[in-house]
Amino acid sequence: GESVGLHLPTLSVQEGDNSIINCAYSNSASDYFIWYKQESGKGPQFIIDIRSNMDKRQGQRVTVLLNKTVKHLSLQIAATQPGDSAVYFCAENGGYGGSQGNLIFGKGTKLSVKP
Amino acid sequence: KAGVTQTPRYLIKTRGQQVTLSCSPISGHRSVSWYQQTPGQGLQFLFEYFSETQRNKGNFPGRFSGRQFSNSRSEMNVSTLELGDSALYLCASSLGLAGGVYNEQFFGPGTRLTVL
């Protein structure tokens, strides 16, 4: 598959454990944040999003936490599975209002799940 | 419902040449955004088109250009290719509705461009 990043921080977890991936965002005016998952050879895939008027949002096995005070996002994955192995990116909309086509992406974290 | 498709998937060019990449959005989506992904710089926004008009532009030189057709399909062009243009070029489509409505972006698989 294609390498999406040669200098990514890596998180290695055991199957069944919970994973926490962190991200610092850059623009205090950003009001929309998204987590994406990218598997080798594929484009990023939407996982979960959150607006700036929330500090927590839950999905299926995933939770996103937003701390606007320190401009920090985290993604929690419960009961991590081998299929969760991928590179995870946080993205922010940069505060451009309704236009969401210009996302600012973080550098990414590679999650490796050991069976 | 078909996803975002990009053609070609792989491309090899030499320095100085130009290249055109194509993106077909999900049916009904009017916004197409382009991103460049490299190991060093990560994912960087190039530009966004909505209803055949460029709505946003990232911080890339004028050698990078794009356009959108009336059927929402989009092309991006890179002229006078440089070695540093080697990257995975991703396009994403969304409904693109403004006014505080946040619409999910769906990404294609990308076009891997190698410049020799």
Side-chain angles (χ1 to χ4, degrees):
Chain A
E2 297 162 355
S3 171
V4 297
L6 299 179
H7 310 289
L8 295 174
T10 299
L11 174 65
S12 186
V13 301
Q14 203 70 37
E15 180 179 359
D17 287 352
N18 296 332
S19 303
I20 299 176
I21 300 171
N22 296 302
C23 174
Y25 64 90
S26 58
N27 191 335
S28 57
S30 291
D31 52 7
Y32 178 61
F33 306 88
I34 315 103
W35 279 99
Y36 285 94
K37 169 187 180 183
Q38 187 174 25
E39 297 171 292
S40 184
K42 297 182 179 180
Q45 178 186 5
F46 174 94
I47 301 173
I48 191 168
D49 59 2
I50 188 168
R51 295 195 187 199
S52 59
N53 60 355
M54 304 171 70
D55 52 22
K56 180 179 180 179
R57 190 163 187 225
Q58 288 183 291
Q60 187 177 18
R61 280 201 309 119
V62 294
T63 300
V64 55
L65 299 178
L66 173 62
N67 185 329
K68 294 183 289 294
T69 303
V70 295
K71 293 193 289 186
H72 184 267
L73 269 172
S74 69
L75 176 70
Q76 300 176 0
I77 304 173
T80 315
Q81 302 167 1
D84 295 327
S85 294
V87 177
Y88 290 80
F89 294 94
C90 65
E92 58 183 299
N93 76 333
Y96 289 100
S99 171
Q100 318 97 54
N102 51 340
L103 296 174
I104 303 167
F105 281 83
K107 291 298 185 184
T109 296
K110 184 175 181 179
L111 175 64
S112 179
V113 182
K114 295 175 287 187
Chain B
K1 195 174 189 180
V4 178
T5 57
Q6 292 187 247
T7 56
R9 291 294 312 278
Y10 301 91
L11 206 48
I12 300 175
K13 292 285 189 179
T14 55
R15 279 182 299 174
Q17 287 187 310
Q18 74 165 15
V19 66
T20 299
L21 312 181
S22 181
C23 172
S24 292
I26 291 171
S27 178
H29 285 191
R30 296 167 65 190
S31 168
V32 173
S33 296
W34 288 90
Y35 295 84
Q36 181 196 65
Q37 186 173 31
T38 60
Q41 299 300 315
L43 272 154
Q44 293 186 288
F45 172 75
L46 280 156
F47 28 65
E48 180 202 8
Y49 285 86
F50 179 80
S51 292
E52 302 179 64
T53 301
Q54 188 179 86
R55 186 157 69 171
N56 287 292
K57 188 178 188 304
N59 190 26
F60 277 81
R63 299 184 298 107
F64 292 82
S65 62
R67 60 177 175 168
Q68 187 179 33
F69 302 95
S70 58
N71 62 357
S72 294
R73 190 178 69 85
S74 177
E75 290 180 345
M76 68 162 281
N77 184 276
V78 189
S79 61
T80 321
L81 284 165
E82 300 177 0
L83 295 179
D85 296 333
S86 293
L88 182 66
Y89 289 88
L90 293 157
C91 87
S93 78
S94 75
L95 291 170
L97 300 176
V101 177
Y102 296 100
N103 292 249
E104 181 181 341
Q105 287 198 37
F106 295 82
F107 282 82
T111 293
R112 168 67 66 183
L113 172 65
T114 302
V115 182
L116 302 175

